[in-house]
Amino acid sequence: MAETPESSHKVHDDEDSDGDLKAGGRKGNGRIVVFAILSLLLLAGIITLVLYLVYRPFHPHFSVVSVAIVSLSNSSSPFNTISAAVQPTLVIRNPNSRASIRYDRIEMYVTYRNAPITSPVLLPPLIQDKDTSVAISPVLGGPAVPVSPDIVEGLAVDRSFGVVPLRLIAVGRIRYNPGPFRGRWSSLYVRCNMLVAARTGVSGPVPLLANSDCSVD
């Protein structure tokens, strides 16, 4: 039987409807996949944030509790130099209850009025457990260090008054190991101001005249 225009139109309508349903199904499946991926990314972000807040490490605390002047002298002939050997006792506290700390390539030296007066001393590597404190007492000294005439004159004046402002510097690298994780190495820069009562000719332990807490970056 010949196909009438009306029946032909119905067949085309049915085919179009089937195509629309298939296209709609594909779009619906695509939305589900996108929604699932976004949900997984959101969940991963929440988990990462929670782990960061739980295991986020804090900088260690450094403080100088005592200082001994082994030797300290200045000379202007034939060159302007300072010869110094200083032994600070430094307490390092790890405030993290969930992270141990590893220190490596730590160099320490002493400055006076921003001028180094001791050569850098390399300290041995140190691993510090969670929520613990450790004391170190390195002797920082070496050959005479060349300085400007102003530094030599300033040290002579300060020693005559018995009050010498020194600064302990520590540079190196540090790594936090929070819980089951292992952090990356990062730089460490410590500055400790030490105002000491050191007169000319005096050696041995000297009083600290001010708070000697340190800044840590």
Side-chain angles (χ1 to χ4, degrees):
M1 184 168 66
E3 189 178 79
T4 65
E6 290 183 3
S7 63
S8 175
H9 182 66
K10 277 186 178 182
V11 170
H12 288 304
D13 286 345
D14 291 340
E15 291 177 352
D16 292 341
S17 298
D18 291 341
D20 291 340
L21 288 173
K22 290 180 181 179
R26 286 194 295 269
K27 289 181 180 179
N29 292 335
R31 291 192 187 99
I32 292 173
V33 171
V34 171
F35 179 77
I37 293 174
L38 293 176
S39 299
L40 290 175
L41 292 175
L42 179 61
L43 180 60
I46 293 174
I47 293 174
T48 301
L49 177 61
V50 170
L51 290 176
Y52 171 76
L53 294 175
V54 170
Y55 291 104
R56 177 182 54 175
F58 296 95
H59 285 316
H61 296 163
F62 288 73
S63 60
V64 178
V65 296
S66 66
V67 177
I69 301 295
V70 180
S71 64
L72 181 61
S73 62
N74 53 278
S75 173
S76 57
S77 178
F79 304 104
N80 293 292
T81 60
I82 289 179
S83 178
V86 182
Q87 185 177 24
T89 297
L90 193 67
V91 173
I92 309 172
R93 185 171 72 86
N94 178 6
N96 300 287
S97 60
R98 294 185 176 91
S100 60
I101 301 177
R102 177 162 186 166
Y103 308 85
D104 190 32
R105 301 179 186 174
I106 303 296
E107 290 186 334
M108 281 190 179
Y109 59 95
V110 177
T111 68
Y112 169 75
R113 295 190 179 184
N114 296 323
I117 60 172
T118 68
S119 301
V121 173
L122 181 64
L123 303 183
L126 172 65
I127 299 177
Q128 190 172 16
D129 289 334
K130 308 168 188 175
D131 199 17
T132 58
S133 296
V134 63
I136 60 174
S137 298
V139 177
L140 310 176
V145 177
V147 294
S148 68
D150 292 341
I151 296 298
V152 170
E153 182 180 353
L155 181 60
V157 171
D158 287 340
R159 293 180 72 197
S160 68
F161 283 102
V163 179
V164 180
L166 301 176
R167 175 175 287 179
L168 176 68
I169 304 293
V171 294
R173 64 178 191 170
I174 189 173
R175 185 173 70 194
Y176 301 95
N177 295 325
F181 306 103
R182 189 174 183 179
R184 296 180 179 178
W185 288 106
S186 58
S187 60
L188 177 71
Y189 181 37
V190 182
R191 302 173 302 282
C192 307
N193 293 323
M194 305 181 298
L195 188 63
V196 299
R199 290 186 176 275
T200 302
V202 173
S203 62
V206 294
L208 285 168
L209 303 178
N211 186 359
S212 59
D213 283 343
C214 311
S215 60
V216 181
D217 296 321

